[in-house]
């Protein structure tokens, strides 16, 4: 057997392995949730969906919360993105840094600070304003989710504006158009696709969020929270599966609409030319600045509160400095943080390489069945985290795929949950690899695998680096998809933190929150510097 035949066999074997992995760890768990909800004793049964009639308020509450959160968070994000058109380079960097700070934070930390600041015994409501307000319910959930989702939306919109064709704005300025007219008649109409994407993403994330309604909702319950409680408190996995499916249905519809707008956004960005422009501070600027500054102050207060709570305590209504919180937090840190970091690093390394292979076969080589696989691999991104976690419980609780109770099931869940983002991250850097480059290597007699090793891999290092960083941070801060998979004696940092918040140990929880934020921030900033240095070296050469 010559080398060419060996390469063909190896190439085909790699594709078979990738397809098998995606079907086993993405499609199979997905189908298991549907089987659990619809089949009882091998018969089609809709009993698990009785809650739609008896407890229809759960669905109404979820949709209502999702809609309000999506509108408010996108509105604030749009104002923040537009503010960058009025600021200088350093002002924009500060805004992006503050947004980054939110994105490396566990999703329910906003609930912790909301209780600390605005609860019945909150620092702002009671100690400053002297009020006794009820912070729970719909208003509280929307406030906390808005704080959590706005940063991602703003980052998406800022990225869109960075590739904006500013010549239109310069033309409008030369014709003495007012700032209000430029924003209203030029910028906002062209921002419709990314704004729509932000609304839809926020809706999906809000409907799938179980931790915020659980901590802040009070008597206001949602489907995601009830699905979680069905497993943890009632042990009714069939009911939880049915609720997860109901959450999934609007999510899949929203995802298809999201894909449509994303294509419009991408096609629009291809014809845009990046350039710098600074708008005059007048007219609508003051509304944009007021909303954006309000959010920045709001989020800054949140993080000040987290770090302050780590070093303070309360006695008879007085706040005092103490290191006891850190001492009490050390046992929790020892038992969970090393495990979280190890799992996140392993997941980041594996998913980055897997994302590279899927991107290579589907995007560069254009193999049809790999394109379909690429599409199917998006399922973990569409479905709620608890849905994906339940799928792993149902799929891997028995032989021949018994994985429950092991570290492997958690790491595998982290890997395939982040696979869609890993694929997109690598593909974004593969655009610099032209077909002419690949064809040149083939003309010189190189096999596809030689092309992959000598051309694709070196030119995709930045995408791999970005994928690894995103996966590490996401794995360090995730909770939804792994909350059912981790055994009590093997908990990760976010699960320990969630338990502390749920049990009212806010000061110790603040210490753990601070450590997670610092770890993720250091990792993110280090990765950014290394990636930026690589870019400079690449440009210099």
């Amino acid at each position: 057997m010559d080398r060419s035949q060996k390469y063909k066999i190896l190439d085909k074997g790699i594709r078979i392995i990738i397809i098998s992995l995606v079907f086993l760890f993405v499609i199979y768990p997905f189908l298991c949730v549907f089987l659990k909800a619809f089949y009882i004793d091998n018969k089609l049964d809709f009993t698990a969906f009785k809650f739609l009639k008896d407890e229809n308020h759960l669905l109404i509450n979820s949709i209502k919360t999702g809609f309000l959160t999506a509108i408010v968070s996108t509105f604030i994000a749009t104002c923040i993105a537009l503010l960058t058109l009025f600021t200088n380079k350093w002002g924009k960097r500060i805004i992006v840094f503050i947004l980054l700070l939110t994105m490396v934070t566990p999703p329910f930390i906003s609930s912790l600070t909301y209780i600390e600041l605005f609860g019945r015994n909150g620092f702002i409501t009671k100690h400053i304003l002297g009020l006794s307000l009820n912070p729970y319910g719909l208003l509280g959930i929307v406030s906390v989710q808005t704080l959590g989702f706005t940063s991602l939306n703003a980052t998406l919109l800022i990225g869109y504006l960075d590739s904006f064709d500013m010549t239109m704005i310069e033309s409008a300025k030369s014709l003495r158009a007012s700032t209000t007219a430029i924003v209203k008649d030029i910028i906002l109409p062209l921002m419709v696709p990314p704004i729509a994407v932000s609304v839809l993403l926020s809706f999906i994330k809000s409907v799938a969020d179980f931790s915020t309604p659980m901590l802040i909702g009070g008597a206001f319950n949602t489907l995601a929270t009830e699905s979680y409680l069905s497993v943890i408190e009632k042990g009714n996995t069939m009911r939880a599966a049915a609720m997860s499916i109901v959450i999934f249905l609007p999510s899949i519809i929203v995802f298809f609409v999201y894909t449509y707008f994303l294509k419009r956004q991408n096609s629009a960005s291809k014809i845009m030319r990046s350039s710098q422009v600074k708008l005059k501070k007048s007219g609508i600027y003051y509304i944009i600045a007021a909303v954006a500054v309000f959010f920045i102050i709001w989020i800054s207060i949140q993080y000040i509160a987290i770090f302050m709570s780590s070093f303070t305590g309360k006695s008879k209504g007085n706040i005092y400095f103490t290191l006891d919180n850190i001492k009490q937090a050390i046992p929790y840190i020892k038992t969970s943080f090393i495990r979280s970091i190890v799992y996140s690093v392993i997941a980041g390394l594996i998913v980055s390489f897997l994302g590279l292979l899927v991107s290579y076969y589907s995007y560069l080589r254009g193999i049809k069945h790999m394109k379909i696989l690429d599409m199917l691999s998006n399922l973990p991104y569409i479905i709620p985290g608890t849905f994906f976690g339940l799928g792993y419980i149902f799929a891997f609780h028995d032989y021949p795929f018994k994985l429950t109770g092991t570290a492997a099931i958690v790491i595998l869940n982290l890997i395939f949950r982040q696979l869609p983002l890993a694929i997109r991250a690598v593909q974004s850097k593969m655009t610099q690899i032209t077909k002419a480059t690949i064809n040149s290597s083939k003309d010189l007699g190189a096999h596809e695998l030689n092309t992959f090793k000598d051309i694709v891999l070196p030119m995709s290092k930045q995408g791999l680096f970005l994928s690894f960083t995103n996966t590490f941070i996401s794995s360090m801060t995730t909770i939804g998809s792994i909350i059912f998979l981790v055994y009590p004696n093997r908990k990760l940092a976010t699960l320990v933190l969630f338990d502390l918040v749920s049990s009212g140990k806010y000061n110790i929880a603040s210490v753990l929150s601070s450590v997670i934020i610092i770890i993720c921030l250091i990792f993110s900033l280090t990765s950014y510097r290394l990636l930026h240095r690589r870019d400079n070296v690449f440009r210099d050469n």
Side-chain angles (χ1 to χ4, degrees), residues 478-491:
T478 192
I479 184 171
S481 63
I482 62 171
I483 196 164
F484 303 129
L485 305 176
V486 179
Y487 271 39
N489 61 339
R490 296 179 182 175
K491 285 191 174 181

Side-chain angles (χ1 to χ4, degrees), residues 345-385:
V345 169
I346 293 173
L349 291 172
I350 295 175
V351 78
S352 298
F353 189 68
L354 187 59
L356 173 66
L357 290 173
V358 174
S359 299
Y360 167 67
Y361 284 112
S362 63
Y363 179 73
L364 285 183
R365 289 181 56 178
I367 300 174
K368 287 185 179 180
H369 64 267
M370 294 304 291
K371 286 185 176 181
I372 296 172
L373 188 78
D374 184 358
M375 183 183 67
L376 292 175
S377 67
N378 283 312
L379 276 175
Y381 184 75
I382 304 169
I383 61 181

Side-chain angles (χ1 to χ4, degrees), residues 421-442:
L421 294 180
I423 294 172
R424 301 287 87 78
V426 174
Q427 281 187 9
S428 68
K429 298 301 178 181
M430 277 187 175
T431 54
Q432 61 183 312
I433 305 174
T434 62
K435 288 186 178 181
T437 305
I438 296 175
N439 290 334
S440 297
S441 67
K442 289 181 180 180

Side-chain angles (χ1 to χ4, degrees), residues 8-19:
K8 286 182 180 179
I9 294 173
L10 179 59
D11 184 59
K12 188 174 182 180
I14 292 172
R15 278 183 281 161
I16 291 173
I17 291 172
I18 294 172
I19 293 170

Side-chain angles (χ1 to χ4, degrees), residues 238-282:
M238 186 173 66
R239 171 182 164 89
M243 289 184 170
S244 296
I245 290 171
V246 173
I247 296 172
F248 164 73
L249 292 177
S251 297
I252 190 67
I253 295 171
V254 166
F255 178 78
F256 284 122
V257 179
Y258 154 77
T259 304
Y260 166 76
F261 279 109
L262 190 63
K263 287 180 179 178
R264 284 186 58 188
Q265 175 184 338
N266 290 338
S267 62
S269 63
K270 287 180 182 178
I271 61 173
M272 289 182 178
R273 182 170 63 256
S274 180
S275 60
Q276 295 295 322
V277 69
K278 191 174 180 181
L279 294 176
K280 183 180 178 181
K281 296 179 180 179
S282 63

Side-chain angles (χ1 to χ4, degrees), residues 279-294:
L279 294 176
K280 183 180 178 181
K281 296 179 180 179
S282 63
I284 200 172
Y285 161 78
Y286 297 104
I287 298 175
I288 292 170
V291 174
V293 170
F294 171 76

Side-chain angles (χ1 to χ4, degrees), residues 60-125:
I60 295 171
N61 288 350
S62 295
I63 294 175
K64 187 188 301 183
T65 304
F67 176 78
L68 291 174
T69 299
I71 296 300
V72 177
S73 63
T74 303
F75 171 72
I76 297 175
T78 303
C79 292
I80 295 171
L82 291 173
L83 183 64
T84 61
L85 296 177
F86 296 89
T87 58
N88 56 27
K89 190 175 182 180
W90 282 104
K92 182 178 178 180
R93 284 184 177 180
I94 293 171
I95 292 173
V96 171
F97 175 78
I98 293 173
L99 297 176
L100 174 66
L101 191 63
T102 308
M103 294 169 66
V104 299
T105 305
F108 51 89
I109 292 306
S110 298
S111 302
L112 167 63
T113 54
Y114 184 82
I115 295 170
E116 287 278 89
L117 295 173
F118 302 104
R120 293 187 183 278
N121 196 34
F123 180 75
I124 292 178
T125 51

Side-chain angles (χ1 to χ4, degrees), residues 4 13 87 150 161 177 194 235 318 389 407 455 463 509 511 513 520 533:
S4 178
T87 58
T150 296
L161 288 177
N318 297 318
I455 297 176
V511 176
S513 302
C520 291
R533 185 178 301 171

